[in-house]
Amino acid sequence: MSWHSVWLYIYFTFLRGMFKWIIHKYTGACELQRICRNNEAGAKRTKKIESSLRRSRVATVKKSLSTEVNIDEAVKNIMLIKGIDAEKEPGFSPALTVCLTQIHGYKKLEAEIERLRKTPYSSDNPDHESTLMQLWNLLMPNVKLTNRITNQWSDIGFQGDDPKTDFRGMGMLGLNNLVFFASHFTDEARQTLSHSHHPKFGYSLAIVGINITSMAYHLLQNGALKVHLYNSSQNMPSVTHFHQVYCYLLFEFDKFWFQEKPRDVMEFNRIRDKFQKKIIKILKDHRVALEGIFFKD
């Protein structure tokens, strides 16, 4: 165990509580109050609130992070336990409500995205088949498929004659992402498809798209997307917000790919990893909200 780990253990086990008590006595405000007072609405405040609630030794306070708890009731209970007077500090309740709304929304979004990822594509499911055909018609409106199983699927970037095999890793999440991009930003999607057919720097759009789904999924799971989602809206993050991030990532990756001028598609892993590091670096700035046409209501 490193000295850093030892120090963190000592601090959070023995010293944090004492420091909080001293600061509370000195300022007349609990940690939650100080966070709301000293930080503007957004990712920095919400992430600090989440950390404080998670480390609370009071079960009722800690339980407020659960999505099964009513947010308004949770705020009332916290204010009662902490002795916070709503009249003396009218801004606390609205601020904490926004933070819990974002925290609960993020947790629910994680669960829904995980459900979609674990839903395998089934050619026996009419809805799945209809969604797949929708993707083809959006990207290739002037070309009809000769058969359901055909090498034509390679024209939009699938590997084999039957796209269902390409969705094994990301399930229906991968297909839904592609269809959202193609249906909500059709011009951009067709432009990206055209780029993917470049004679020198071409790539398989659908396969790359599914790889970007994996990237977006892991950014969500490791918490990196909290910065963007908490800064871009005070409401609950939704699947639509995740789709928007996906569209941004895929569109930006297309530009990044051509900027890198790869020798061939075998450079995909290197360029993808480099692009991902770039995105992670952007999302480390607690003030950031990703921008572009994909985030307009």
Side-chain angles (χ1 to χ4, degrees), residues 5-245:
S5 299
V6 171
W7 164 245
L8 288 177
Y9 173 79
I10 293 173
Y11 173 75
F12 287 112
T13 305
F14 303 106
L15 302 179
R16 183 172 182 272
M18 180 180 68
F19 288 155
K20 284 178 62 180
W21 181 84
I22 293 172
I23 296 173
H24 191 177
K25 287 294 182 181
Y26 179 74
T27 63
C30 70
E31 184 176 53
L32 295 174
Q33 287 173 288
R34 296 194 300 274
I35 292 172
C36 290
R37 288 176 184 175
N38 301 331
N39 299 275
E40 295 181 355
K44 188 176 181 180
R45 176 196 281 179
T46 300
K47 290 173 72 175
K48 283 188 173 184
I49 288 290
E50 184 175 16
S51 178
S52 179
L53 293 174
R54 186 184 298 113
R55 294 192 176 104
S56 177
R57 296 183 180 182
V58 181
T60 303
V61 174
K62 196 169 188 174
K63 192 177 179 182
S64 65
L65 292 173
S66 170
T67 57
E68 297 179 0
V69 173
N70 178 274
I71 292 175
D72 291 335
E73 289 298 318
V75 172
K76 290 178 182 178
N77 289 335
I78 289 172
M79 293 182 70
L80 182 63
I81 292 169
K82 299 294 184 179
I84 300 172
D85 189 327
E87 292 186 359
K88 292 182 179 179
E89 194 154 359
F92 179 80
S93 177
L96 185 59
T97 298
V98 168
C99 290
L100 286 178
T101 297
Q102 292 180 319
I103 293 166
H104 283 206
Y106 197 93
K107 288 176 178 286
K108 290 178 180 179
L109 177 59
E110 284 183 302
E112 177 60 15
I113 293 301
E114 185 65 19
R115 184 190 70 79
L116 289 170
R117 188 187 71 84
K118 288 185 176 180
T119 301
Y121 182 94
S122 172
S123 54
D124 296 325
N125 187 317
D127 291 335
H128 292 187
E129 288 285 285
S130 175
T131 304
L132 179 61
M133 292 307 302
Q134 183 185 5
L135 177 64
W136 175 270
N137 291 329
L138 285 165
L139 293 177
M140 304 287 283
N142 300 318
V143 180
K144 288 190 176 182
L145 286 173
T146 56
N147 289 292
R148 163 62 180 80
I149 298 178
T150 169
N151 61 11
Q152 284 179 281
W153 288 110
S154 65
D155 293 343
I156 61 173
F158 287 102
Q159 287 182 325
D161 294 348
D162 190 348
K164 74 175 184 179
T165 59
D166 292 326
F167 293 117
R168 288 173 182 167
M170 287 290 114
M172 283 302 294
L173 180 62
L175 177 56
N176 288 351
N177 273 166
L178 284 166
V179 170
F180 185 93
F181 183 42
S183 60
H184 287 75
F185 304 99
T186 307
D187 290 343
E188 289 75 19
R190 291 176 183 170
Q191 175 186 326
T192 306
L193 177 62
S194 176
H195 289 175
S196 75
H197 291 161
H198 191 280
K200 184 175 181 180
F201 302 128
Y203 57 86
S204 299
L205 176 60
I207 296 302
V208 168
I210 294 169
N211 266 273
I212 297 299
T213 292
S214 177
M215 183 185 299
Y217 166 77
H218 285 101
L219 289 173
L220 179 74
Q221 291 296 316
N222 66 25
L225 286 186
K226 288 180 179 180
V227 171
H228 163 72
L229 294 174
Y230 291 168
N231 283 334
S232 59
S233 174
Q234 294 190 358
N235 299 318
M236 281 195 176
S238 67
V239 174
T240 295
H241 294 125
F242 181 82
H243 285 321
Q244 290 171 338
V245 170

Side-chain angles (χ1 to χ4, degrees), residues 227 248 277-285 288 290:
V227 171
Y248 168 86
K277 288 178 181 178
K278 175 185 175 182
I279 297 299
I280 290 173
K281 183 178 180 180
I282 291 172
L283 292 173
K284 283 184 177 180
D285 183 346
V288 159
L290 301 175

Side-chain angles (χ1 to χ4, degrees), residues 267-282:
E267 287 213 83
F268 173 75
N269 287 342
R270 178 188 68 80
I271 294 174
R272 178 201 57 199
D273 292 346
K274 186 176 180 180
F275 176 73
Q276 183 168 318
K277 288 178 181 178
K278 175 185 175 182
I279 297 299
I280 290 173
K281 183 178 180 180
I282 291 172

Side-chain angles (χ1 to χ4, degrees), residues 181 188 191-192 247-255 294:
F181 183 42
E188 289 75 19
Q191 175 186 326
T192 306
C247 293
Y248 168 86
L249 292 175
L250 181 52
F251 197 70
E252 289 299 313
F253 179 82
D254 175 69
K255 292 191 288 186
F294 306 111

